[in-house]
Structure formats: C-alpha cells, structure tokens
Amino acid sequence: MLNIIIFGPPGSGKGTQSARIVEKYKLKHLSTGDLFREEMENNTPLGREVRKYIDTGHLVPDEIALRELYNRASKHMDSPGFIFDGFPRTIVQAEALDSMLEERGIPICLVISVEVAEEELFKRIMGRGEDSGRSDDNEKIVRRRLQVYKEQTMPLISYYKEQGKFVAINGMAPVDQVFAKICHAIDTYRESQKVIPVVE
Ligand code: AMP
C-alpha cells in the first residue's frame, strides 16, 4: 500500500494537490476537514459537536478526529493506498495513526510537506474565503488557525523527520510545478522500494 500524508499549514494547497495525487496514483483521499464539513452541512450530531471548534479556529479533540478517521479508513482497506490530508494534526494523532497502520503492516511511506510563507497563506485563505463560503475563512479565525498550526501541528515535522519520511516541497511555485515535484518524490520512493531480483 502506498500511504502518504500531505502536510502543510491551512492555505498551502494540500487539497488541490491531493485531488491530483488521487487521480494519478488512485489513492483513497481521507480529509478530516472535508469529513467534518460534510457533517456540519448535514447538521448531524457530530456536525453540531465539531462546529464549535471549527468555527473558532481550534482543533477538534483528538479522540473525535481519530475515531472518525478510523471509521472512514476501515471502509477502504482494499484501496491501493491512502492520502491523509489534514490528518494527523497533533503528535497524539500521529502516534495513534502509526500504531493503527503498523498493526496492519501498512505504515506511512512518505510525508510530503507543502511549504508556503505565512503572509502568502493568509492572503490565499482570505481570498478563498470570499468564494469558499467556509465559516472559518475570516481574518481573526485564520490567524488563530495559523497559530494552532504552529503550536500543535508543526511538532510533527521533527516527528516524521526522525522517521526519515519527511520531504519538503516549495509550495510557492505554480500548482503544476508543485505537483511535478510531489510526483517526483512519490516516484523516487516507489523506485527505491522495488525488489531487485538476485541474479545467481
Ligand atoms: P481543514 O479543512 O483540514 O483545514 O480543516 C478544517 C478544520 O477542521 C480545522 O481548522 C479543524 O478545526 C478541524 N480539523 C480537521 N482535521 C482535523 C484533525 N485532524 N484534528 C483536529 N481538528 C481537525
């Protein structure tokens, strides 16, 4: 299985790049943000529960994010791999994801980090807010989301660097160039995993 985490702050283009990766490598896209927005739109009990965190720019509690991610992932264990988008966001989530995947013998292969300067992120999200209709795309909330990212999610960078899985990509480049670099990282990984037959 090819399991990839697409990592980066809000506004780094993770969603756009994930859609392209899914199309090319036929992976199952697992986005906890999309999942929560769907629940909020359908006004389910879970949607009502998570809204108070999302609308104020805070993270949904780990136990909820983990439970929902597991439920969704376990329905798609037959897929050629997963692309995790917006998950994990805390060390607790990363450790839980590692144990879930390792139990099944399908660990994370690569963590692709899409890197974008903070002011550019802010501009992008504020621009997006004009037409995304997302309730969490306004100035005060966006600042808080970026702060939460720095405090709670950035520690994952060293977590995955220590595992030797972290690849940083310049997300300031045009979308096609970012995608080309992501593909290069994935293809290099796949190449390195090929078993070379022993010639006797
Ligand atoms: P996103 O679309 O990934 O930016 O997620 C939107 C919002 O959903 C975030 O600001 C969080 O409030 C919540 N959220 C999404 N994924 C997670 C997660 N893995 N852990 C906690 N909260 C999350």
Side-chain angles (χ1 to χ4, degrees), residues 3-71:
N3 289 326
I4 296 173
I5 294 174
I6 183 122
F7 183 86
S12 55
K14 296 190 299 292
T16 308
Q17 296 298 338
S18 295
R20 293 189 171 205
I21 298 169
V22 165
E23 202 189 335
K24 179 159 177 183
Y25 297 95
K26 311 291 174 223
L27 306 180
K28 174 70 192 163
H29 183 215
L30 292 176
S31 156
T32 35
D34 284 354
L35 191 154
F36 292 145
R37 275 186 291 280
E38 209 177 286
E39 298 286 333
M40 292 197 299
E41 270 158 36
N42 295 327
N43 198 25
T44 62
L46 172 63
R48 290 194 291 275
E49 167 74 8
V50 297
R51 180 179 287 284
K52 55 181 184 265
Y53 303 103
I54 294 179
D55 283 359
T56 52
H58 292 102
L59 292 184
V60 168
D62 286 331
E63 58 275 19
I64 299 180
L66 278 165
R67 184 188 68 212
E68 295 308 314
L69 190 276
Y70 285 2
N71 286 345

Side-chain angles (χ1 to χ4, degrees), residues 136-149:
D136 56 353
D137 280 352
N138 72 64
E139 184 165 351
K140 189 166 145 238
I141 304 302
V142 170
R143 291 279 179 214
R144 180 169 298 137
R145 283 162 62 204
L146 291 172
Q147 193 59 32
V148 165
Y149 171 78

Side-chain angles (χ1 to χ4, degrees), residues 151-170:
E151 288 169 9
Q152 295 182 257
T153 307
M154 275 180 77
L156 295 182
I157 297 175
S158 21
Y159 180 85
Y160 287 114
K161 273 188 180 164
E162 278 161 25
Q163 295 190 6
K165 295 179 177 172
F166 192 83
V167 179
I169 296 216
N170 173 15

